[in-house]
Amino acid sequence: MSGGPEPISAEGLRAVREELAQLRVERGKVAATLRGVEPVGDRADAADELQRASEVTRLDRRIVELEGRLREAEVAGEPSAHVVGVGSTVTVRFDDGTQETVEISELAEERDLTLVTFDSPLGKALLGRRAGETVNYETPAGAASAVVVSVGHDG
């Protein structure tokens, strides 16, 4: 990513909010099973308690990460209509002449648009590019290139 606040696609925003809601529910359930300062029974009970406490810590970290991502997306606003970024829709023409419209996303999910994650080889090559530029990237079959035909966003 660019290092500054990154926009997020509408689909990415929905997915982050959904994951955050699920994590908060899960955290509440796990936290409710913790005994607090009461003495724990045998070693197995102590180990189980420690594992649940570790799970709460893991969930808390992920919740903070997602909350930060939502704040960052809010500050960043809409993706640029001229430069490829997370949330942009990009029409590219590949070496074989085929043309495809893809969305640069944080998350890989099945949708009507072809999603390309920002950290994939093609996604990395497209970030920061403008219409008319050629990008080079690696595929399992070897080096490839594509021309950015147009840049937009999913509004």
Side-chain angles (χ1 to χ4, degrees):
M1 295 218 229
S2 69
E6 286 288 340
I8 191 170
S9 68
E11 187 65 21
L13 189 60
R14 180 204 58 75
V16 168
R17 286 182 176 147
E18 187 177 293
E19 181 183 354
L20 188 56
Q22 290 170 351
L23 289 172
R24 285 178 173 151
V25 168
E26 184 179 347
R27 189 217 182 273
K29 288 177 182 175
V30 175
T33 67
L34 294 175
R35 294 190 180 104
V37 296
E38 294 176 24
V40 179
D42 62 17
R43 286 184 183 210
D45 288 342
D48 187 50
E49 183 83 0
L50 184 58
Q51 185 174 356
R52 287 193 310 271
S54 294
E55 180 66 3
V56 167
T57 300
R58 184 193 68 79
L59 292 169
D60 285 343
R61 283 188 188 126
R62 182 66 179 148
I63 287 168
V64 167
E65 181 181 321
L66 292 175
E67 288 171 341
R69 182 62 189 105
L70 290 175
R71 282 190 302 277
E72 181 181 286
E74 190 175 300
V75 169
E78 288 289 322
S80 169
H82 305 289
V83 178
V84 178
V86 176
S88 296
T89 53
V90 185
T91 302
V92 293
R93 186 173 45 253
F94 296 99
D95 289 337
D96 64 3
T98 61
Q99 195 165 292
E100 192 169 347
T101 299
V102 299
E103 179 181 334
I104 307 299
S105 177
E106 291 184 71
L107 310 162
E109 285 188 15
E110 289 192 29
R111 288 203 8 208
D112 292 337
L113 276 178
T114 301
L115 294 181
V116 174
T117 58
F118 71 91
D119 57 353
S120 68
L122 179 57
K124 286 178 187 175
L126 288 171
L127 287 177
R129 300 304 185 118
R130 297 176 178 272
E133 290 188 65
T134 299
V135 298
N136 297 300
Y137 60 100
E138 289 294 321
T139 71
S145 66
V147 174
V148 178
V149 176
S150 65
V151 179
H153 62 81
D154 66 354

